[in-house]
Amino acid sequence: MSYPILILGGTTEAYELADRLVAAGQLRVISSLAGRTESPRLPAGEVRIGGFGGVEGLAEFLRIQAIRCVIDATHPFAAQMGWHAWEACTLCDVPLLRLERPPWTPASGDRWEEVASWSEAVERLQRLNAKRIFLAIGRQELQHFAGLDDRWFLIRLVSPPDPLPPFCRAEWLYARGPFDLAAERAMLDRYRIEAIVCKNSGSEATAAKLIAARERAIPVVMRKRPPRSPEVQSVATVEAVLDWLSRVSKM
Ligand SMILES: NC(=O)c1ccc[n+]([C@@H]2O[C@H](COP(=O)([O-])OP(=O)(O)OC[C@H]3O[C@@H](n4cnc5c(N)ncnc54)[C@H](OP(=O)(O)O)[C@@H]3O)[C@@H](O)[C@H]2O)c1
């Protein structure tokens, strides 16, 4: 039963799933990457890179490759791909499963301000009156904060954005997680951070800053995840995907 399956990837979980399925050797595993990263790490199995060209393009790919099921393992903040997958799989009658790590949830002592958009995040920052802000939101949406000329930002990214958004007062920090608690504590103290802005990625690798913020009663403006189709079944672990695949293969 070596049928082809498609993993929509770009996350740690997607790499892990591809590794497990290729090692099991029972399926033809095709992973898809959006192509945003230059020289990305390649998942095990077959790989295709770049957008499909919307719902129609993805549906065509599913038909041509005779894909038997799709696992949407894109990042929790990849807002579009999941909806396209849902529409294309519905059109082609292909089973679809979402693999998504659970979001972080606030613990006692946390001062979270949950927001659904970056404009809301900017409003909250203004209301909080925090002057020294740690931005940990990745590179793509920084421009929303660049107009806050009366604030100072510490902006942590994996690598420098090109072009650099026009922040009046900012320090740029280039680092790749995981980040440990001692280092996060030291960073918040050293830069005298008064508020943090981040996305609820749920990643263990970047969770330590939230503990350090809780200890210091620093408010965290937390962007909520974008909405998903309620019709798509979602699981939180690679094990649960393997279990689902074994059931789907018997159908
Ligand atoms: N957003 C984040 O914070 C974040 C963080 C880490 C990793 N990523 C990864 O980076 C990718 C792009 O993120 P995004 O926020 O731009 O996603 P998005 O808003 O959901 O997707 C935008 C477009 O990019 C293409 N695309 C996205 N994921 C793809 C995939 N796995 N394979 C082929 N095409 C894909 C699709 O183009 P077409 O319509 O042409 O098919 C999609 O319509 C995602 O795969 C995600 O897993 C995102």
Side-chain angles (χ1 to χ4, degrees):
M1 54 132 209
S2 182
Y3 59 76
I5 78 153
L6 175 65
I7 301 172
L8 300 169
T11 55
T12 310
E13 292 82 354
Y15 285 102
E16 189 189 332
L17 178 62
D19 279 346
R20 295 280 298 271
L21 289 172
V22 169
Q26 287 182 313
L27 302 173
R28 182 178 158 217
V29 181
I30 307 172
S31 289
S32 176
L33 302 176
R36 302 273 190 279
T37 317
E38 227 178 280
S39 349
R41 175 185 150 206
L42 295 179
E46 295 172 45
V47 184
R48 65 159 303 286
I49 299 181
F52 293 93
V55 175
E56 282 308 320
L58 177 56
E60 194 185 343
F61 182 87
L62 298 180
R63 287 192 204 103
I64 289 173
Q65 297 291 333
I67 299 293
R68 287 278 295 278
C69 47
V70 176
I71 311 298
D72 169 17
T74 53
H75 190 268
F77 279 85
Q80 195 70 65
M81 195 64 235
W83 291 95
H84 287 187
W86 173 59
E87 283 187 54
C89 287
T90 306
L91 272 173
C92 300
D93 200 19
V94 169
L96 168 66
L97 184 69
R98 168 88 181 138
L99 169 59
E100 181 170 302
R101 65 182 88 126
W104 295 313
T105 50
S108 167
D110 275 331
R111 291 181 61 201
W112 285 17
E113 303 265 340
E114 291 191 279
V115 296
S117 68
W118 292 128
S119 53
E120 216 185 310
V122 168
E123 274 171 34
R124 295 298 174 97
L125 280 181
Q126 278 161 337
R127 212 177 319 148
L128 284 167
N129 203 27
K131 296 288 182 207
R132 298 179 65 81
I133 299 155
F134 173 36
L135 269 188
I137 64 168
R139 66 164 72 196
Q140 284 182 39
E141 290 136 322
L142 289 169
Q143 75 280 4
H144 295 276
F145 299 89
L148 292 172
D149 291 349
D150 58 339
R151 314 291 156 115
W152 177 91
F153 290 95
L154 176 65
I155 304 172
R156 183 165 71 191
L157 298 169
V158 171
S159 56
D162 182 20
L164 218 58
F167 281 85
C168 246
R169 298 192 301 140
E171 181 153 341
W172 299 82
L173 208 58
Y174 302 113
R176 186 187 290 277
F179 300 105
D180 74 30
L181 183 54
E184 296 295 66
R185 284 174 176 143
M187 182 192 64
L188 296 185
D189 293 343
R190 175 170 171 224
Y191 289 100
R192 293 177 284 115
I193 296 299
E194 295 169 354
I196 296 176
V197 184
C198 64
K199 307 197 239 191
N200 195 335
S201 75
S203 166
E204 276 179 33
T206 55
K209 64 177 175 287
L210 302 175
I211 301 171
R214 183 185 311 143
E215 292 168 350
R216 287 155 182 73
I218 292 174
V220 176
V221 178
M222 180 71 77
R223 173 84 190 262
K224 290 191 275 197
R225 293 180 175 188
R228 304 260 155 213
S229 167
E231 290 180 39
V232 178
Q233 187 188 339
S234 180
V235 295
T237 62
V238 168
E239 282 307 325
V241 177
L242 300 177
D243 188 47
W244 181 84
L245 283 170
S246 70
R247 279 183 282 117
V248 166
S249 69
K250 290 184 194 122
M251 280 162 38

